[in-house]
């Protein structure tokens, strides 16, 4: 399994996370769209994921990968 990921949460600062978060999430969506429109059939499973709670200690991605490990997935 290959994960293409980014996060969309921001720290509670004066800035709203447009570059730190929104640009990465937009890139994940754009890459997924290119694969879908081109009809690309990848040799491996692809997961396009935007995570939450990353600014709080990678909670979203840790949960995803912990669950994947419990399922015996090689990510």
């Amino acid at each position: 399994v290959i994960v293409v990921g980014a996060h969309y949460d921001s720290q509670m600062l004066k800035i709203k996370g447009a570059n730190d978060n929104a640009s990465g999430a937009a890139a994940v969506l754009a890459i997924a769209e290119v694969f879908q429109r081109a009809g690309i059939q990848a040799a491996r499973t692809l997961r396009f994921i935007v995570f939450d709670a990353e600014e709080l200690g990678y909670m979203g991605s840790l949960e995803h990968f912990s669950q994947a490990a419990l399922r015996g997935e090689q990510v």
Side-chain angles (χ1 to χ4, degrees):
V1 177
I2 298 172
V3 173
V4 179
H7 66 104
Y8 60 88
D9 60 319
S10 307
Q11 288 182 317
M12 298 300 172
L13 302 173
K14 293 179 183 179
I15 56 172
K16 299 297 183 191
N19 187 38
D20 179 33
N21 305 292
S23 61
V28 170
L29 293 172
I31 294 166
E33 183 179 24
V34 167
F35 272 74
Q36 191 272 327
R37 286 185 185 227
I40 295 171
Q41 295 294 318
R44 299 179 187 218
T45 300
L46 299 177
R47 287 193 188 136
F48 299 93
I49 306 174
V50 287
F51 296 104
D52 192 10
E54 297 302 280
E55 299 286 1
L56 301 174
Y58 304 110
M59 294 170 64
S61 57
L62 284 175
E63 179 64 21
H64 172 76
F65 291 107
S66 295
Q67 292 298 316
L70 290 174
R71 292 188 297 268
E73 296 176 349
Q74 292 184 335
V75 181

